[in-house]
Amino acid sequence: VYEILNYIQQNYHKNESFDTIAEHFSVSTSYLSRLIKKETDSTFTDYVNTLRISEAKRLLANSKDNITTIYEKVGFNNRNTFIRLFKQIVGVTPSEYRKNSKSNN
């Protein structure tokens, strides 16, 4: 299971489907789903989104990349989805997060 989680951590930005990952490791999607839920207490989608948002936070705080570049780097295809999920997970928009992180330095 750690090999699978490591693979997801290394490739979350590539938008590989859940089915593709299950196939890559020669396991069923239901088995993979149970493994991920057991180890992370999250669904596959929630786990991947958490990884993406975590990296987005790092980039917002430490780079000058614009929001579009950042959401594309971390694997989101849609700006609105990125902003909505970012605010849902972090509590502020990406722009507010960047502003707050800059003012704390």
mmCIF file with all atom_site columns, all heavy atoms in Angstrom, residues 75-98:
data_model
loop_
_atom_site.group_PDB
_atom_site.id
_atom_site.type_symbol
_atom_site.label_atom_id
_atom_site.label_alt_id
_atom_site.label_comp_id
_atom_site.label_asym_id
_atom_site.label_entity_id
_atom_site.label_seq_id
_atom_site.pdbx_PDB_ins_code
_atom_site.Cartn_x
_atom_site.Cartn_y
_atom_site.Cartn_z
_atom_site.occupancy
_atom_site.B_iso_or_equiv
_atom_site.pdbx_formal_charge
_atom_site.auth_seq_id
_atom_site.auth_comp_id
_atom_site.auth_asym_id
_atom_site.auth_atom_id
_atom_site.pdbx_PDB_model_num
ATOM 1   N N   . GLY A 1 75 ? -2.120  20.064 -11.119 1.00 0.00 ? 75 GLY A N   1
ATOM 2   C CA  . GLY A 1 75 ? -2.996  19.080 -11.740 1.00 0.00 ? 75 GLY A CA  1
ATOM 3   C C   . GLY A 1 75 ? -4.456  19.435 -11.880 1.00 0.00 ? 75 GLY A C   1
ATOM 4   O O   . GLY A 1 75 ? -5.260  18.583 -12.259 1.00 0.00 ? 75 GLY A O   1
ATOM 5   N N   . PHE A 1 76 ? -4.837  20.670 -11.604 1.00 0.00 ? 76 PHE A N   1
ATOM 6   C CA  . PHE A 1 76 ? -6.220  21.067 -11.816 1.00 0.00 ? 76 PHE A CA  1
ATOM 7   C C   . PHE A 1 76 ? -6.392  21.552 -13.252 1.00 0.00 ? 76 PHE A C   1
ATOM 8   O O   . PHE A 1 76 ? -5.490  22.175 -13.818 1.00 0.00 ? 76 PHE A O   1
ATOM 9   C CB  . PHE A 1 76 ? -6.637  22.181 -10.850 1.00 0.00 ? 76 PHE A CB  1
ATOM 10  C CG  . PHE A 1 76 ? -6.893  21.704 -9.459  1.00 0.00 ? 76 PHE A CG  1
ATOM 11  C CD1 . PHE A 1 76 ? -5.919  21.822 -8.485  1.00 0.00 ? 76 PHE A CD1 1
ATOM 12  C CD2 . PHE A 1 76 ? -8.094  21.117 -9.112  1.00 0.00 ? 76 PHE A CD2 1
ATOM 13  C CE1 . PHE A 1 76 ? -6.123  21.379 -7.196  1.00 0.00 ? 76 PHE A CE1 1
ATOM 14  C CE2 . PHE A 1 76 ? -8.326  20.662 -7.821  1.00 0.00 ? 76 PHE A CE2 1
ATOM 15  C CZ  . PHE A 1 76 ? -7.336  20.799 -6.855  1.00 0.00 ? 76 PHE A CZ  1
ATOM 16  N N   . ASN A 1 77 ? -7.554  21.279 -13.829 1.00 0.00 ? 77 ASN A N   1
ATOM 17  C CA  . ASN A 1 77 ? -7.846  21.703 -15.202 1.00 0.00 ? 77 ASN A CA  1
ATOM 18  C C   . ASN A 1 77 ? -8.737  22.925 -15.252 1.00 0.00 ? 77 ASN A C   1
ATOM 19  O O   . ASN A 1 77 ? -8.922  23.503 -16.312 1.00 0.00 ? 77 ASN A O   1
ATOM 20  C CB  . ASN A 1 77 ? -8.540  20.568 -15.974 1.00 0.00 ? 77 ASN A CB  1
ATOM 21  C CG  . ASN A 1 77 ? -7.644  19.369 -16.123 1.00 0.00 ? 77 ASN A CG  1
ATOM 22  O OD1 . ASN A 1 77 ? -6.448  19.513 -16.324 1.00 0.00 ? 77 ASN A OD1 1
ATOM 23  N ND2 . ASN A 1 77 ? -8.224  18.191 -16.029 1.00 0.00 ? 77 ASN A ND2 1
ATOM 24  N N   . ASN A 1 78 ? -9.279  23.310 -14.110 1.00 0.00 ? 78 ASN A N   1
ATOM 25  C CA  . ASN A 1 78 ? -10.275 24.370 -14.094 1.00 0.00 ? 78 ASN A CA  1
ATOM 26  C C   . ASN A 1 78 ? -10.002 25.319 -12.929 1.00 0.00 ? 78 ASN A C   1
ATOM 27  O O   . ASN A 1 78 ? -9.902  24.883 -11.779 1.00 0.00 ? 78 ASN A O   1
ATOM 28  C CB  . ASN A 1 78 ? -11.666 23.725 -13.965 1.00 0.00 ? 78 ASN A CB  1
ATOM 29  C CG  . ASN A 1 78 ? -12.788 24.716 -13.952 1.00 0.00 ? 78 ASN A CG  1
ATOM 30  O OD1 . ASN A 1 78 ? -12.946 25.446 -12.980 1.00 0.00 ? 78 ASN A OD1 1
ATOM 31  N ND2 . ASN A 1 78 ? -13.562 24.737 -15.014 1.00 0.00 ? 78 ASN A ND2 1
ATOM 32  N N   . ARG A 1 79 ? -9.897  26.588 -13.246 1.00 0.00 ? 79 ARG A N   1
ATOM 33  C CA  . ARG A 1 79 ? -9.594  27.611 -12.233 1.00 0.00 ? 79 ARG A CA  1
ATOM 34  C C   . ARG A 1 79 ? -10.662 27.662 -11.142 1.00 0.00 ? 79 ARG A C   1
ATOM 35  O O   . ARG A 1 79 ? -10.345 27.734 -9.958  1.00 0.00 ? 79 ARG A O   1
ATOM 36  C CB  . ARG A 1 79 ? -9.457  28.973 -12.928 1.00 0.00 ? 79 ARG A CB  1
ATOM 37  C CG  . ARG A 1 79 ? -9.140  30.108 -11.986 1.00 0.00 ? 79 ARG A CG  1
ATOM 38  C CD  . ARG A 1 79 ? -9.100  31.450 -12.741 1.00 0.00 ? 79 ARG A CD  1
ATOM 39  N NE  . ARG A 1 79 ? -8.794  32.534 -11.855 1.00 0.00 ? 79 ARG A NE  1
ATOM 40  C CZ  . ARG A 1 79 ? -7.572  33.012 -11.631 1.00 0.00 ? 79 ARG A CZ  1
ATOM 41  N NH1 . ARG A 1 79 ? -6.545  32.503 -12.260 1.00 0.00 ? 79 ARG A NH1 1
ATOM 42  N NH2 . ARG A 1 79 ? -7.389  34.012 -10.808 1.00 0.00 ? 79 ARG A NH2 1
ATOM 43  N N   . ASN A 1 80 ? -11.932 27.618 -11.549 1.00 0.00 ? 80 ASN A N   1
ATOM 44  C CA  . ASN A 1 80 ? -13.013 27.718 -10.564 1.00 0.00 ? 80 ASN A CA  1
ATOM 45  C C   . ASN A 1 80 ? -13.013 26.533 -9.609  1.00 0.00 ? 80 ASN A C   1
ATOM 46  O O   . ASN A 1 80 ? -13.244 26.699 -8.410  1.00 0.00 ? 80 ASN A O   1
ATOM 47  C CB  . ASN A 1 80 ? -14.370 27.853 -11.259 1.00 0.00 ? 80 ASN A CB  1
ATOM 48  C CG  . ASN A 1 80 ? -14.514 29.183 -11.968 1.00 0.00 ? 80 ASN A CG  1
ATOM 49  O OD1 . ASN A 1 80 ? -13.861 30.156 -11.612 1.00 0.00 ? 80 ASN A OD1 1
ATOM 50  N ND2 . ASN A 1 80 ? -15.362 29.230 -12.984 1.00 0.00 ? 80 ASN A ND2 1
ATOM 51  N N   . THR A 1 81 ? -12.759 25.340 -10.137 1.00 0.00 ? 81 THR A N   1
ATOM 52  C CA  . THR A 1 81 ? -12.682 24.153 -9.284  1.00 0.00 ? 81 THR A CA  1
ATOM 53  C C   . THR A 1 81 ? -11.535 24.295 -8.297  1.00 0.00 ? 81 THR A C   1
ATOM 54  O O   . THR A 1 81 ? -11.682 24.009 -7.107  1.00 0.00 ? 81 THR A O   1
ATOM 55  C CB  . THR A 1 81 ? -12.498 22.880 -10.132 1.00 0.00 ? 81 THR A CB  1
ATOM 56  O OG1 . THR A 1 81 ? -13.607 22.764 -11.025 1.00 0.00 ? 81 THR A OG1 1
ATOM 57  C CG2 . THR A 1 81 ? -12.386 21.638 -9.273  1.00 0.00 ? 81 THR A CG2 1
ATOM 58  N N   . PHE A 1 82 ? -10.393 24.746 -8.786  1.00 0.00 ? 82 PHE A N   1
ATOM 59  C CA  . PHE A 1 82 ? -9.230  24.952 -7.919  1.00 0.00 ? 82 PHE A CA  1
ATOM 60  C C   . PHE A 1 82 ? -9.550  25.938 -6.800  1.00 0.00 ? 82 PHE A C   1
ATOM 61  O O   . PHE A 1 82 ? -9.309  25.656 -5.628  1.00 0.00 ? 82 PHE A O   1
ATOM 62  C CB  . PHE A 1 82 ? -8.040  25.445 -8.737  1.00 0.00 ? 82 PHE A CB  1
ATOM 63  C CG  . PHE A 1 82 ? -6.889  25.927 -7.906  1.00 0.00 ? 82 PHE A CG  1
ATOM 64  C CD1 . PHE A 1 82 ? -6.164  25.047 -7.117  1.00 0.00 ? 82 PHE A CD1 1
ATOM 65  C CD2 . PHE A 1 82 ? -6.530  27.263 -7.904  1.00 0.00 ? 82 PHE A CD2 1
ATOM 66  C CE1 . PHE A 1 82 ? -5.096  25.489 -6.335  1.00 0.00 ? 82 PHE A CE1 1
ATOM 67  C CE2 . PHE A 1 82 ? -5.473  27.713 -7.134  1.00 0.00 ? 82 PHE A CE2 1
ATOM 68  C CZ  . PHE A 1 82 ? -4.749  26.826 -6.349  1.00 0.00 ? 82 PHE A CZ  1
ATOM 69  N N   . ILE A 1 83 ? -10.096 27.079 -7.146  1.00 0.00 ? 83 ILE A N   1
ATOM 70  C CA  . ILE A 1 83 ? -10.390 28.106 -6.144  1.00 0.00 ? 83 ILE A CA  1
ATOM 71  C C   . ILE A 1 83 ? -11.420 27.597 -5.134  1.00 0.00 ? 83 ILE A C   1
ATOM 72  O O   . ILE A 1 83 ? -11.257 27.782 -3.927  1.00 0.00 ? 83 ILE A O   1
ATOM 73  C CB  . ILE A 1 83 ? -10.848 29.414 -6.822  1.00 0.00 ? 83 ILE A CB  1
ATOM 74  C CG1 . ILE A 1 83 ? -9.664  30.036 -7.584  1.00 0.00 ? 83 ILE A CG1 1
ATOM 75  C CG2 . ILE A 1 83 ? -11.422 30.401 -5.807  1.00 0.00 ? 83 ILE A CG2 1
ATOM 76  C CD1 . ILE A 1 83 ? -10.023 31.193 -8.478  1.00 0.00 ? 83 ILE A CD1 1
ATOM 77  N N   . ARG A 1 84 ? -12.464 26.914 -5.624  1.00 0.00 ? 84 ARG A N   1
ATOM 78  C CA  . ARG A 1 84 ? -13.503 26.389 -4.737  1.00 0.00 ? 84 ARG A CA  1
ATOM 79  C C   . ARG A 1 84 ? -12.919 25.374 -3.753  1.00 0.00 ? 84 ARG A C   1
ATOM 80  O O   . ARG A 1 84 ? -13.146 25.456 -2.545  1.00 0.00 ? 84 ARG A O   1
ATOM 81  C CB  . ARG A 1 84 ? -14.627 25.758 -5.555  1.00 0.00 ? 84 ARG A CB  1
ATOM 82  C CG  . ARG A 1 84 ? -15.755 25.175 -4.722  1.00 0.00 ? 84 ARG A CG  1
ATOM 83  C CD  . ARG A 1 84 ? -16.885 24.597 -5.579  1.00 0.00 ? 84 ARG A CD  1
ATOM 84  N NE  . ARG A 1 84 ? -16.443 23.692 -6.617  1.00 0.00 ? 84 ARG A NE  1
ATOM 85  C CZ  . ARG A 1 84 ? -16.079 22.419 -6.424  1.00 0.00 ? 84 ARG A CZ  1
ATOM 86  N NH1 . ARG A 1 84 ? -16.092 21.913 -5.205  1.00 0.00 ? 84 ARG A NH1 1
ATOM 87  N NH2 . ARG A 1 84 ? -15.708 21.653 -7.434  1.00 0.00 ? 84 ARG A NH2 1
ATOM 88  N N   . LEU A 1 85 ? -12.141 24.407 -4.270  1.00 0.00 ? 85 LEU A N   1
ATOM 89  C CA  . LEU A 1 85 ? -11.548 23.392 -3.396  1.00 0.00 ? 85 LEU A CA  1
ATOM 90  C C   . LEU A 1 85 ? -10.510 23.993 -2.445  1.00 0.00 ? 85 LEU A C   1
ATOM 91  O O   . LEU A 1 85 ? -10.422 23.602 -1.286  1.00 0.00 ? 85 LEU A O   1
ATOM 92  C CB  . LEU A 1 85 ? -10.913 22.275 -4.223  1.00 0.00 ? 85 LEU A CB  1
ATOM 93  C CG  . LEU A 1 85 ? -11.893 21.272 -4.810  1.00 0.00 ? 85 LEU A CG  1
ATOM 94  C CD1 . LEU A 1 85 ? -11.193 20.348 -5.792  1.00 0.00 ? 85 LEU A CD1 1
ATOM 95  C CD2 . LEU A 1 85 ? -12.562 20.472 -3.714  1.00 0.00 ? 85 LEU A CD2 1
ATOM 96  N N   . PHE A 1 86 ? -9.723  24.927 -2.949  1.00 0.00 ? 86 PHE A N   1
ATOM 97  C CA  . PHE A 1 86 ? -8.723  25.582 -2.104  1.00 0.00 ? 86 PHE A CA  1
ATOM 98  C C   . PHE A 1 86 ? -9.417  26.258 -0.922  1.00 0.00 ? 86 PHE A C   1
ATOM 99  O O   . PHE A 1 86 ? -9.021  26.063 0.229   1.00 0.00 ? 86 PHE A O   1
ATOM 100 C CB  . PHE A 1 86 ? -7.927  26.609 -2.917  1.00 0.00 ? 86 PHE A CB  1
ATOM 101 C CG  . PHE A 1 86 ? -6.708  27.112 -2.200  1.00 0.00 ? 86 PHE A CG  1
ATOM 102 C CD1 . PHE A 1 86 ? -5.463  26.556 -2.461  1.00 0.00 ? 86 PHE A CD1 1
ATOM 103 C CD2 . PHE A 1 86 ? -6.785  28.144 -1.274  1.00 0.00 ? 86 PHE A CD2 1
ATOM 104 C CE1 . PHE A 1 86 ? -4.327  27.002 -1.795  1.00 0.00 ? 86 PHE A CE1 1
ATOM 105 C CE2 . PHE A 1 86 ? -5.666  28.602 -0.609  1.00 0.00 ? 86 PHE A CE2 1
ATOM 106 C CZ  . PHE A 1 86 ? -4.422  28.030 -0.873  1.00 0.00 ? 86 PHE A CZ  1
ATOM 107 N N   . LYS A 1 87 ? -10.463 27.009 -1.213  1.00 0.00 ? 87 LYS A N   1
ATOM 108 C CA  . LYS A 1 87 ? -11.178 27.717 -0.136  1.00 0.00 ? 87 LYS A CA  1
ATOM 109 C C   . LYS A 1 87 ? -11.842 26.733 0.812   1.00 0.00 ? 87 LYS A C   1
ATOM 110 O O   . LYS A 1 87 ? -11.838 26.927 2.030   1.00 0.00 ? 87 LYS A O   1
ATOM 111 C CB  . LYS A 1 87 ? -12.213 28.678 -0.721  1.00 0.00 ? 87 LYS A CB  1
ATOM 112 C CG  . LYS A 1 87 ? -12.856 29.538 0.351   1.00 0.00 ? 87 LYS A CG  1
ATOM 113 C CD  . LYS A 1 87 ? -13.619 30.680 -0.202  1.00 0.00 ? 87 LYS A CD  1
ATOM 114 C CE  . LYS A 1 87 ? -14.114 31.533 0.964   1.00 0.00 ? 87 LYS A CE  1
ATOM 115 N NZ  . LYS A 1 87 ? -14.824 32.697 0.519   1.00 0.00 ? 87 LYS A NZ  1
ATOM 116 N N   . GLN A 1 88 ? -12.372 25.641 0.273   1.00 0.00 ? 88 GLN A N   1
ATOM 117 C CA  . GLN A 1 88 ? -13.022 24.620 1.102   1.00 0.00 ? 88 GLN A CA  1
ATOM 118 C C   . GLN A 1 88 ? -12.013 23.974 2.058   1.00 0.00 ? 88 GLN A C   1
ATOM 119 O O   . GLN A 1 88 ? -12.308 23.765 3.226   1.00 0.00 ? 88 GLN A O   1
ATOM 120 C CB  . GLN A 1 88 ? -13.630 23.562 0.186   1.00 0.00 ? 88 GLN A CB  1
ATOM 121 C CG  . GLN A 1 88 ? -14.359 22.448 0.881   1.00 0.00 ? 88 GLN A CG  1
ATOM 122 C CD  . GLN A 1 88 ? -14.901 21.433 -0.128  1.00 0.00 ? 88 GLN A CD  1
ATOM 123 O OE1 . GLN A 1 88 ? -15.124 21.730 -1.288  1.00 0.00 ? 88 GLN A OE1 1
ATOM 124 N NE2 . GLN A 1 88 ? -15.089 20.221 0.330   1.00 0.00 ? 88 GLN A NE2 1
ATOM 125 N N   . ILE A 1 89 ? -10.816 23.690 1.575   1.00 0.00 ? 89 ILE A N   1
ATOM 126 C CA  . ILE A 1 89 ? -9.812  22.998 2.384   1.00 0.00 ? 89 ILE A CA  1
ATOM 127 C C   . ILE A 1 89 ? -9.038  23.950 3.291   1.00 0.00 ? 89 ILE A C   1
ATOM 128 O O   . ILE A 1 89 ? -8.795  23.658 4.456   1.00 0.00 ? 89 ILE A O   1
ATOM 129 C CB  . ILE A 1 89 ? -8.849  22.202 1.471   1.00 0.00 ? 89 ILE A CB  1
ATOM 130 C CG1 . ILE A 1 89 ? -9.611  21.043 0.821   1.00 0.00 ? 89 ILE A CG1 1
ATOM 131 C CG2 . ILE A 1 89 ? -7.629  21.698 2.230   1.00 0.00 ? 89 ILE A CG2 1
ATOM 132 C CD1 . ILE A 1 89 ? -8.855  20.327 -0.293  1.00 0.00 ? 89 ILE A CD1 1
ATOM 133 N N   . VAL A 1 90 ? -8.665  25.115 2.751   1.00 0.00 ? 90 VAL A N   1
ATOM 134 C CA  . VAL A 1 90 ? -7.783  26.038 3.484   1.00 0.00 ? 90 VAL A CA  1
ATOM 135 C C   . VAL A 1 90 ? -8.567  27.100 4.258   1.00 0.00 ? 90 VAL A C   1
ATOM 136 O O   . VAL A 1 90 ? -8.117  27.579 5.291   1.00 0.00 ? 90 VAL A O   1
ATOM 137 C CB  . VAL A 1 90 ? -6.774  26.697 2.505   1.00 0.00 ? 90 VAL A CB  1
ATOM 138 C CG1 . VAL A 1 90 ? -5.843  27.656 3.217   1.00 0.00 ? 90 VAL A CG1 1
ATOM 139 C CG2 . VAL A 1 90 ? -5.979  25.629 1.768   1.00 0.00 ? 90 VAL A CG2 1
ATOM 140 N N   . GLY A 1 91 ? -9.733  27.463 3.745   1.00 0.00 ? 91 GLY A N   1
ATOM 141 C CA  . GLY A 1 91 ? -10.548 28.460 4.434   1.00 0.00 ? 91 GLY A CA  1
ATOM 142 C C   . GLY A 1 91 ? -10.483 29.854 3.837   1.00 0.00 ? 91 GLY A C   1
ATOM 143 O O   . GLY A 1 91 ? -11.238 30.732 4.227   1.00 0.00 ? 91 GLY A O   1
ATOM 144 N N   . VAL A 1 92 ? -9.554  30.062 2.907   1.00 0.00 ? 92 VAL A N   1
ATOM 145 C CA  . VAL A 1 92 ? -9.424  31.339 2.196   1.00 0.00 ? 92 VAL A CA  1
ATOM 146 C C   . VAL A 1 92 ? -9.143  31.038 0.723   1.00 0.00 ? 92 VAL A C   1
ATOM 147 O O   . VAL A 1 92 ? -8.751  29.927 0.382   1.00 0.00 ? 92 VAL A O   1
ATOM 148 C CB  . VAL A 1 92 ? -8.289  32.217 2.779   1.00 0.00 ? 92 VAL A CB  1
ATOM 149 C CG1 . VAL A 1 92 ? -8.594  32.646 4.198   1.00 0.00 ? 92 VAL A CG1 1
ATOM 150 C CG2 . VAL A 1 92 ? -6.946  31.514 2.703   1.00 0.00 ? 92 VAL A CG2 1
ATOM 151 N N   . THR A 1 93 ? -9.300  32.035 -0.117  1.00 0.00 ? 93 THR A N   1
ATOM 152 C CA  . THR A 1 93 ? -8.995  31.847 -1.535  1.00 0.00 ? 93 THR A CA  1
ATOM 153 C C   . THR A 1 93 ? -7.475  31.790 -1.729  1.00 0.00 ? 93 THR A C   1
ATOM 154 O O   . THR A 1 93 ? -6.719  32.240 -0.859  1.00 0.00 ? 93 THR A O   1
ATOM 155 C CB  . THR A 1 93 ? -9.558  33.005 -2.390  1.00 0.00 ? 93 THR A CB  1
ATOM 156 O OG1 . THR A 1 93 ? -8.860  34.205 -2.031  1.00 0.00 ? 93 THR A OG1 1
ATOM 157 C CG2 . THR A 1 93 ? -11.063 33.167 -2.214  1.00 0.00 ? 93 THR A CG2 1
ATOM 158 N N   . PRO A 1 94 ? -7.024  31.292 -2.874  1.00 0.00 ? 94 PRO A N   1
ATOM 159 C CA  . PRO A 1 94 ? -5.581  31.289 -3.140  1.00 0.00 ? 94 PRO A CA  1
ATOM 160 C C   . PRO A 1 94 ? -4.961  32.681 -3.065  1.00 0.00 ? 94 PRO A C   1
ATOM 161 O O   . PRO A 1 94 ? -3.868  32.851 -2.513  1.00 0.00 ? 94 PRO A O   1
ATOM 162 C CB  . PRO A 1 94 ? -5.478  30.698 -4.549  1.00 0.00 ? 94 PRO A CB  1
ATOM 163 C CG  . PRO A 1 94 ? -6.710  29.867 -4.703  1.00 0.00 ? 94 PRO A CG  1
ATOM 164 C CD  . PRO A 1 94 ? -7.769  30.583 -3.922  1.00 0.00 ? 94 PRO A CD  1
ATOM 165 N N   . SER A 1 95 ? -5.656  33.679 -3.579  1.00 0.00 ? 95 SER A N   1
ATOM 166 C CA  . SER A 1 95 ? -5.128  35.054 -3.532  1.00 0.00 ? 95 SER A CA  1
ATOM 167 C C   . SER A 1 95 ? -4.988  35.542 -2.098  1.00 0.00 ? 95 SER A C   1
ATOM 168 O O   . SER A 1 95 ? -3.982  36.171 -1.735  1.00 0.00 ? 95 SER A O   1
ATOM 169 C CB  . SER A 1 95 ? -6.041  36.000 -4.309  1.00 0.00 ? 95 SER A CB  1
ATOM 170 O OG  . SER A 1 95 ? -6.104  35.640 -5.656  1.00 0.00 ? 95 SER A OG  1
ATOM 171 N N   . GLU A 1 96 ? -5.986  35.257 -1.279  1.00 0.00 ? 96 GLU A N   1
ATOM 172 C CA  . GLU A 1 96 ? -5.925  35.663 0.124   1.00 0.00 ? 96 GLU A CA  1
ATOM 173 C C   . GLU A 1 96 ? -4.800  34.915 0.838   1.00 0.00 ? 96 GLU A C   1
ATOM 174 O O   . GLU A 1 96 ? -4.083  35.501 1.655   1.00 0.00 ? 96 GLU A O   1
ATOM 175 C CB  . GLU A 1 96 ? -7.262  35.374 0.824   1.00 0.00 ? 96 GLU A CB  1
ATOM 176 C CG  . GLU A 1 96 ? -8.394  36.262 0.358   1.00 0.00 ? 96 GLU A CG  1
ATOM 177 C CD  . GLU A 1 96 ? -9.759  35.789 0.840   1.00 0.00 ? 96 GLU A CD  1
ATOM 178 O OE1 . GLU A 1 96 ? -9.965  34.565 1.005   1.00 0.00 ? 96 GLU A OE1 1
ATOM 179 O OE2 . GLU A 1 96 ? -10.623 36.652 1.031   1.00 0.00 ? 96 GLU A OE2 1
ATOM 180 N N   . TYR A 1 97 ? -4.637  33.643 0.521   1.00 0.00 ? 97 TYR A N   1
ATOM 181 C CA  . TYR A 1 97 ? -3.578  32.853 1.134   1.00 0.00 ? 97 TYR A CA  1
ATOM 182 C C   . TYR A 1 97 ? -2.209  33.433 0.789   1.00 0.00 ? 97 TYR A C   1
ATOM 183 O O   . TYR A 1 97 ? -1.361  33.589 1.664   1.00 0.00 ? 97 TYR A O   1
ATOM 184 C CB  . TYR A 1 97 ? -3.666  31.389 0.673   1.00 0.00 ? 97 TYR A CB  1
ATOM 185 C CG  . TYR A 1 97 ? -2.631  30.519 1.343   1.00 0.00 ? 97 TYR A CG  1
ATOM 186 C CD1 . TYR A 1 97 ? -2.871  29.970 2.596   1.00 0.00 ? 97 TYR A CD1 1
ATOM 187 C CD2 . TYR A 1 97 ? -1.403  30.262 0.737   1.00 0.00 ? 97 TYR A CD2 1
ATOM 188 C CE1 . TYR A 1 97 ? -1.918  29.190 3.231   1.00 0.00 ? 97 TYR A CE1 1
ATOM 189 C CE2 . TYR A 1 97 ? -0.447  29.491 1.359   1.00 0.00 ? 97 TYR A CE2 1
ATOM 190 C CZ  . TYR A 1 97 ? -0.708  28.952 2.605   1.00 0.00 ? 97 TYR A CZ  1
ATOM 191 O OH  . TYR A 1 97 ? 0.247   28.189 3.233   1.00 0.00 ? 97 TYR A OH  1
ATOM 192 N N   . ARG A 1 98 ? -2.024  33.767 -0.480  1.00 0.00 ? 98 ARG A N   1
ATOM 193 C CA  . ARG A 1 98 ? -0.737  34.347 -0.908  1.00 0.00 ? 98 ARG A CA  1
ATOM 194 C C   . ARG A 1 98 ? -0.500  35.666 -0.186  1.00 0.00 ? 98 ARG A C   1
ATOM 195 O O   . ARG A 1 98 ? 0.600   35.913 0.312   1.00 0.00 ? 98 ARG A O   1
ATOM 196 C CB  . ARG A 1 98 ? -0.716  34.542 -2.419  1.00 0.00 ? 98 ARG A CB  1
ATOM 197 C CG  . ARG A 1 98 ? 0.536   35.296 -2.890  1.00 0.00 ? 98 ARG A CG  1
ATOM 198 C CD  . ARG A 1 98 ? 0.657   35.329 -4.377  1.00 0.00 ? 98 ARG A CD  1
ATOM 199 N NE  . ARG A 1 98 ? 1.475   34.179 -4.769  1.00 0.00 ? 98 ARG A NE  1
ATOM 200 C CZ  . ARG A 1 98 ? 1.608   33.754 -5.996  1.00 0.00 ? 98 ARG A CZ  1
ATOM 201 N NH1 . ARG A 1 98 ? 0.979   34.358 -6.978  1.00 0.00 ? 98 ARG A NH1 1
ATOM 202 N NH2 . ARG A 1 98 ? 2.375   32.727 -6.264  1.00 0.00 ? 98 ARG A NH2 1
#
